[in-house]
Amino acid sequence: MLSDSPTISRFSIHSDHHHLHRCSYNHHSQSHSPPSPPPPSHLRKIQILRLRRNFQISAIDAAQPFYYESKISDCIAKSKTLKIAIVGFGIFGQFLAKTLVRQGHNVLAHSRTDYSAVATELGVSFYSNADDLCEEHPEVILLCTSILSTDKVLRSLPLQRLKRSTLFVDVLSVKEFAKDLFLQILPSDFDILCTHPMFGPESGKNIWKNLPFVYDKVRIGHDEARVSRCQKFIDAFAKEGCIMKEMTCAEHDQHAAESQFITHTVGRILEKLDLCSTPINTKGYEKLLDLVDNTSSDSFELYYGLFMYNKNAMEQLERLDLAFESLKKELFGHLHVVLRKQLVGSGGRHLGFSHEAPVLSKLPRNGNGNKLSLNGNENGNG
Ligand code: NAP
């Protein structure tokens, strides 16, 4: 907003032209000498055009003509880097910071824990105090908090200290929850971009090429500066070669429950088996060991968040349970046929695989209920 006061505007204009100086300090000149009659309108237009051609910045404490503010916002739109404040500087926040700093963005951070030392190493400015962070007026607030703490952290931020149009971005692994929270808590002036980099410090350790990045432009203002700021943030991932997937938060959660939640669950089940490397590991087994490594390096809180805050997760957990039961039934069904033949004497010589045993079909797709069927009979009466 253009300020009327010569003292509160952030920039002033200096020029070798006197009339420009008079224009910038209009308030002062009016108080010392009687106002002169305004020039005819066509002369005023010429004067303004000259002023626009000749200004340069020299101080930051005087009132500005409106066109100057629009120039500043043009400059911001043209600059390729952003001032990004990461809130929640744990494993994932630090992981993202490395790449953002390498790309030349000005990265700030704030977290519950004091990460000053690690921040310095990464080239990030750390703020223990959220007020101090917000007074730096970052263009983007990037929330990298745990799913469970995001509500609390977001409500504790001094939003009134930020610039009115700040872009809020999150990276939570559940998206409808994040979107609803943002829409509920943030004033309508703030822009909202919900994202989920589908990789982490393990899978994206060396390179992000061909790793999926999901985003949903939930609320982005129409003016050029806002659109371009949002695009610049998205481009940070595109530049690294990520596979860019724009989809709604609801679509993301459906897909993520079927893929990511299943992956984490299987990894954590296998972790409970305490699997060890053997002298004769197959490739498949090596992959399972990797899966255990990958999933166990994430916090349990993250896994619990995937379950609690994605409404599709419970169905997947039940399907996994049913699938396991179904597989056991299939195995035991074959065993039953073989044993029966042995007992009645007709198949005593044959102890191999029996094609007479009931075959359990695959589970119906999501949303079709969880009924199991035998021999492909959907009613399960086979
Ligand atoms: P996380 O355990 O999900 O989150 C750790 C972060 O949350 C830390 O910054 C921690 O702050 C903060 N936090 C936790 N409880 C808090 C509380 N009560 N008050 C304030 N802050 C609190 O682990 P993460 O792997 O770093 O994940 C961060 C976010 O990224 C999550 O939302 C996750 O879904 C998302 N994500 C993670 C991955 C991944 O591979 N790890 C991938 C994609 C997206 P302090 O460290 O200061 O305590």
Side-chain angles (χ1 to χ4, degrees):
M1 271 281 287
L2 176 65
S3 165
D4 282 329
S5 154
T7 53
I8 61 171
S9 183
R10 292 169 64 79
F11 294 93
S12 83
I13 296 166
H14 201 304
S15 162
D16 37 11
H17 293 253
H18 279 300
H19 46 251
L20 173 59
H21 210 74
R22 267 214 314 277
C23 174
S24 295
Y25 291 89
N26 208 11
H27 272 54
H28 297 303
S29 54
Q30 278 180 7
S31 60
H32 294 301
S33 54
S36 48
S41 71
H42 71 280
L43 285 180
R44 260 208 333 262
K45 271 186 196 154
I46 292 170
Q47 224 175 7
I48 287 172
L49 283 173
R50 278 197 196 134
L51 294 178
R52 284 185 183 180
R53 272 203 299 272
N54 293 305
F55 72 78
Q56 59 178 210
I57 304 167
S58 71
I60 56 163
D61 60 351
Q64 301 311 309
F66 181 72
Y67 66 83
Y68 185 69
E69 288 224 337
S70 78
K71 275 273 174 205
I72 288 289
S73 106
D74 279 359
C75 285
I76 292 170
K78 276 175 197 136
S79 135
K80 289 207 170 81
T81 56
L82 291 165
K83 189 171 186 178
I84 302 172
I86 297 179
V87 174
F89 204 52
I91 297 174
F92 198 66
Q94 293 171 28
F95 167 68
L96 290 184
K98 281 179 206 153
T99 300
L100 295 173
V101 168
R102 177 169 50 74
Q103 290 183 356
H105 297 287
N106 179 5
V107 182
L108 328 174
H110 164 71
S111 212
R112 175 180 61 167
T113 307
D114 182 2
Y115 288 110
S116 317
V118 62
T120 308
E121 259 177 51
L122 295 174
V124 171
S125 319
F126 189 79
Y127 294 81
S128 304
N129 184 303
D131 289 281
D132 292 343
L133 178 91
C134 292
E135 278 172 7
E136 288 296 319
H137 292 163
E139 295 162 85
V140 181
I141 296 275
L142 175 57
L143 271 178
C144 295
T145 39
S146 68
I147 297 168
L148 305 191
S149 68
T150 299
D151 187 341
K152 190 192 92 175
V153 173
L154 193 57
R155 285 180 200 279
S156 72
L157 288 180
L159 302 179
Q160 74 284 358
R161 298 196 189 280
L162 292 166
K163 277 201 281 190
R164 240 184 353 173
S165 78
T166 308
L167 168 64
F168 270 75
V169 184
D170 83 290
V171 293
L172 268 57
S173 309
V174 287
K175 296 272 48 85
E176 276 202 283
F177 168 69
K179 173 184 162 185
D180 291 347
L181 213 56
F182 274 168
L183 288 173
Q184 195 189 326
I185 298 175
L186 297 178
S188 56
D189 292 317
F190 290 146
D191 284 354
I192 299 174
L193 173 70
C194 287
T195 79
H196 185 197
M198 306 292 300
F199 51 92
E202 272 302 312
S203 49
K205 190 161 42 188
N206 302 318
I207 190 165
W208 295 1
K209 196 167 163 48
N210 294 333
L211 299 173
F213 177 80
V214 177
Y215 63 98
D216 182 3
K217 295 177 188 168
V218 173
R219 187 175 70 204
I220 305 296
H222 293 296
D223 67 84
E224 205 192 318
R226 286 179 172 213
V227 171
S228 127
R229 176 179 60 186
C230 175
Q231 197 52 49
K232 264 183 255 172
F233 184 85
I234 292 170
D235 284 348
F237 293 84
K239 264 190 222 161
E240 298 297 315
C242 289
I243 299 170
M244 308 302 286
K245 293 276 179 203
E246 185 166 9
M247 66 175 70
T248 65
C249 291
E251 283 171 322
H252 165 278
D253 283 2
Q254 178 75 46
H255 293 310
E258 289 173 17
S259 57
Q260 189 191 27
F261 180 68
I262 294 274
T263 310
H264 279 250
T265 304
V266 172
R268 284 186 182 269
I269 292 171
L270 295 176
E271 190 190 359
K272 292 203 180 294
L273 292 180
D274 207 9
L275 301 179
C276 295
S277 185
T278 74
I280 52 166
N281 287 356
T282 59
K283 289 277 174 219
Y285 187 65
E286 295 273 348
K287 281 189 181 150
L288 287 188
L289 293 177
D290 282 350
L291 175 65
V292 174
D293 268 0
N294 259 326
T295 44
S296 60
S297 64
D298 287 327
S299 66
F300 184 80
E301 193 177 334
L302 195 156
Y303 175 60
Y304 180 66
L306 296 181
F307 172 67
M308 270 301 285
Y309 292 93
N310 185 339
K311 64 177 186 214
N312 310 292
M314 180 58 100
E315 186 185 346
Q316 294 307 319
L317 203 60
E318 281 172 359
R319 281 171 55 80
L320 211 55
D321 219 11
L322 285 165
F324 188 49
E325 282 307 313
S326 152
L327 200 61
K328 279 197 293 186
K329 272 189 198 155
E330 202 173 326
L331 283 176
F332 297 154
H334 284 290
L335 194 60
H336 178 80
V337 172
V338 172
L339 287 177
R340 196 180 53 198
K341 282 185 178 171
Q342 269 186 318
L343 285 175
V344 297
S346 61
R349 289 168 304 273
H350 172 66
L351 292 176
F353 181 82
S354 169
H355 291 282
E356 292 164 39
V359 175
L360 288 152
S361 73
K362 293 201 170 118
L363 291 181
R365 294 290 303 158
N366 296 310
N368 295 338
N370 288 317
K371 277 188 232 137
L372 282 177
S373 61
L374 293 175
N375 294 328
N377 181 334
E378 288 297 318
N379 298 319
N381 298 326

